[in-house]
Amino acid sequence: MLRYGFRLHRWGILGFGLVSFLSATAQGAAYVKLAGTTPAEKAVFVKTMTALAFQLSYFLPLPRHLDTLSGYVLWRAWGTLPLVIIFWAIVAGSGAARADEDRLLVESWLASRLSRARLVAWRFATFGLAAFAMAALAGAGTLLGAAGIETIGLDRLGGQVLTLWLLTVACFGLVYLVSQVPGSKRGAQVAGTLLLLGLYLLQVAARTQPSLDNLAWISPFHWYEATDVLAVGGGLSSAGTALSAIAFVGSGVLAWLAFERRDLRGPLFRLPRPASRAGEGRASPLLGWPVARELYRLRWIVLWWAAGVAGMAFLMVGIAHGVVDALLALPGLRGLLTRAGTDPYRVYIGIYWFSIAQALLAGFAIHVVSGWAADDGEGVLSAELSLPRHRWSVMLERAATVLVGVVLLAVVGSVSTAIAAGQIGATLDSAGVLRATALLVPFALTFAAVGAVGSAWWPRAAVGVLGLLVFASYLDSGLGPVLGWPDWLLNLSVFQLYGTPLLSGIYWTGLWAMVAVVVVGFGAATLLMERRELSR
């Protein structure tokens, strides 16, 4: 059972462990070039980053000890890891609670006289070991990035690794617990997402609202941020550590009690339904259209992503004044924001907002690919092919569906950006906005095409590998220029191939490269689906 448990988490360990390792290493290596070497340069850096941090508190915790490499890495690398952990905990927790039930494996295990208590304990133990491997890789990356620059004590590093591990297993335990309530894996994912995002947003609000500090102690993300032992002069929060451990153990016990009460593949509570007379309903004629029926399945996903993209557009453009004023204080960024007399707010929107838009559309592509992989494992794809139906038509319909979804999100984001820019008095070039919006489509389709190959070749590994590729691509484009990486390495990033069309026009080489990946990717996915057996 232990070996099987590690098989379930091997891609999580590889993907999320490498994300943690690379993030910590790259941020440590970039510190000296960003902060400078003289006391005066560091003082300006600390002042500017502190002011900028308040504008970015929705994404990063408030920094401490920015005058040291360890403090900067704690803020920029370890501060972003909770967002990675949320994604992993939702996937792993809902999958551990419901996926094997859908495959009828839990029935065979229980028939072999394995108790439900032991099954839950085994789930928590295997994920705990996987989470420790991820946290240890984050620690190793921190040491590598600080090598030759700053000495970090193993006691401080060990305390921070322990805190990260406790946050990871606590989030997993909470998702595993709420996954006992709905009766399906998809319902478990929705419940886990709502819970963790709600707790995270509570901590985000508490960062700048002291009145919420006491209430924020119900959030495991508050417990995590209460510890800053990695930085010089920081400490380990005993209360946060104890609460994380209690949440992990307590959620396991409650999940076991809930698992004992419910039926396999059933919800925890069954609400009585009044008797109703059966009647014939009229199906919508749109459900007979190939792409329309897929969009109907994804309608809530697309709507939620559209709302998120619009909200982020208004937020990022709305804070433009504060962020631009802080960035103009850094000599290296002042020249970038005011190059050739360009409006700095237009440059900010062109660089920073459209970078966020790229990340959001890449996340949407990952979400869609996870649905494709789930269709394979849950038998949905087999049912579609039994109609009968050609496999190439399934892949063509998937490509067309994700195309329509991406176009919709890109248009919503750009329209929201234009409205928000008008509210702050910034002027945008309509032709530039159109270029930037149009190029978001092949950008997102590039990741969708890679995910299509993964879902057709090895569905279980598709989401983890695609997530790792997105993060590595983002890291390549963000830190590569700062660290002086060669052009050929920078051009491996899809974010780099997108360019800055709002400011400098279309990067044609990057556009043709993305189009080539899209065509080859979906073509290869079609060939792989034709040859592969389902549910492999």
Side-chain angles (χ1 to χ4, degrees):
M1 295 293 289
L2 186 64
R3 181 179 178 182
Y4 177 74
F6 271 108
R7 283 186 59 197
L8 293 178
H9 297 303
R10 65 187 185 278
W11 290 108
I13 296 173
L14 176 63
F16 296 106
L18 284 178
V19 164
S20 304
F21 177 84
L22 293 175
S23 177
T25 303
Q27 295 296 346
Y31 174 74
V32 173
K33 293 190 176 183
L34 292 173
T37 56
T38 66
E41 290 175 336
K42 285 190 176 182
V44 173
F45 173 78
V46 171
K47 180 180 178 181
T48 303
M49 289 295 107
T50 302
L52 182 63
F54 282 96
Q55 306 293 332
L56 301 178
S57 61
Y58 67 92
F59 183 64
L60 290 169
L62 298 179
R64 286 164 283 188
H65 316 291
L66 282 178
D67 55 332
T68 63
L69 179 145
S70 55
Y72 177 76
V73 172
L74 176 64
W75 176 54
R76 288 288 285 119
W78 294 74
T80 58
L81 290 181
L83 296 173
V84 176
I85 289 169
I86 288 175
F87 181 73
W88 191 18
I90 292 171
V91 173
S94 60
R98 292 293 180 173
D100 286 336
E101 290 186 25
D102 294 338
R103 301 189 188 105
L104 305 182
L105 294 176
V106 177
E107 286 183 339
S108 64
W109 294 335
L110 296 179
S112 65
R113 311 189 74 171
L114 176 69
S115 67
R116 297 197 179 204
R118 287 185 60 190
L119 180 59
V120 173
W122 163 67
R123 295 288 197 192
F124 276 64
T126 52
F127 184 82
L129 293 175
F132 178 77
M134 182 275 294
L137 284 171
T142 301
L143 287 178
L144 181 60
I149 304 173
E150 180 181 318
T151 301
I152 299 177
L154 293 181
D155 54 340
R156 290 159 47 201
L157 184 65
Q160 200 66 46
V161 168
L162 172 64
T163 305
L164 180 63
W165 176 75
L166 285 173
L167 172 66
T168 309
V169 295
C171 289
F172 170 84
L174 292 174
V175 173
Y176 190 89
L177 173 60
V178 298
S179 295
Q180 306 300 321
V181 178
S184 65
K185 180 181 176 182
R186 293 180 186 269
Q189 290 175 341
V190 172
T193 301
L194 292 176
L195 175 64
L196 291 190
L197 284 183
L199 293 172
Y200 179 76
L201 292 176
L202 173 61
Q203 173 57 17
V204 168
R207 289 171 184 168
T208 54
Q209 299 293 330
S211 60
L212 296 175
D213 188 65
N214 291 332
L215 180 60
W217 275 100
I218 68 173
S219 171
F221 302 100
H222 187 82
W223 312 336
Y224 173 74
E225 293 181 15
T227 291
D228 59 352
V229 67
L230 180 64
V232 177
L236 181 69
S237 172
S238 57
T241 302
L243 287 171
S244 298
I246 292 172
F248 178 54
V249 177
S251 61
V253 173
L254 293 175
W256 162 59
L257 295 175
F259 188 33
E260 290 282 1
R261 185 185 183 281
R262 70 174 176 86
D263 295 329
L264 295 182
R265 297 183 302 283
L268 180 60
F269 305 105
R270 293 186 181 273
L271 300 178
R273 296 182 177 180
S276 59
R277 298 178 60 183
E280 294 185 0
R282 296 183 60 185
S284 171
L286 293 177
L287 297 181
W289 297 7
V291 178
R293 62 191 175 207
E294 281 298 308
L295 286 174
Y296 181 79
R297 290 182 59 199
L298 297 175
R299 64 193 184 281
W300 293 113
I301 295 175
V302 174
L303 286 175
W304 277 109
W305 274 98
V309 169
M312 284 298 297
F314 279 102
L315 174 63
M316 291 298 296
V317 178
I319 64 175
H321 282 295
V323 174
V324 170
D325 291 344
L327 294 177
L328 288 175
L330 288 176
L333 293 178
R334 186 188 306 119
L336 173 65
L337 292 173
T338 59
R339 57 184 179 182
T342 307
D343 180 6
Y345 299 104
R346 179 183 169 190
V347 176
Y348 163 81
I349 294 172
I351 295 177
Y352 291 95
W353 157 242
F354 277 99
S355 295
I356 298 295
Q358 292 172 68
L360 290 173
L361 288 178
F364 174 72
I366 295 174
H367 198 155
V368 172
V369 170
S370 70
W372 296 344
D375 286 348
D376 187 281
E378 296 172 1
V380 176
L381 181 59
S382 299
E384 288 186 9
L385 296 177
S386 66
L387 292 178
R389 187 179 177 191
H390 292 293
R391 296 193 178 198
W392 62 262
S393 68
V394 173
M395 189 58 63
L396 181 61
E397 182 177 8
R398 287 179 173 182
T401 302
V402 72
L403 171 62
V404 174
V406 167
V407 169
L408 176 63
L409 295 184
V411 171
V412 168
S414 294
V415 170
S416 302
T417 302
I419 296 173
Q423 292 176 348
I424 66 170
T427 58
L428 297 178
D429 176 25
S430 57
V433 172
L434 181 61
R435 289 195 304 268
T437 304
L439 285 180
L440 286 174
V441 176
F443 169 84
L445 289 179
T446 299
F447 289 116
V450 175
V453 174
S455 64
W457 178 41
W458 199 343
R460 292 186 182 182
V463 177
V465 173
L466 181 59
L468 177 60
L469 289 176
V470 170
F471 180 81
S473 182
Y474 185 82
L475 198 67
D476 184 9
S477 65
L479 290 178
V482 176
L483 299 177
W485 291 351
D487 291 340
W488 67 267
L489 184 57
L490 294 177
N491 287 329
L492 293 178
S493 168
V494 184
F495 292 85
Q496 186 76 12
L497 296 178
Y498 174 81
T500 55
L502 180 64
L503 305 174
S504 56
I506 298 176
Y507 177 38
W508 289 103
T509 302
L511 173 60
W512 294 125
M514 290 188 291
V515 171
V517 173
V518 172
V519 174
V520 173
F522 280 109
T526 302
L527 294 177
L528 288 171
M529 181 174 283
E530 291 284 351
R531 301 179 59 182
R532 183 182 65 85
E533 295 182 5
L534 299 183
S535 301
R536 170 174 167 268

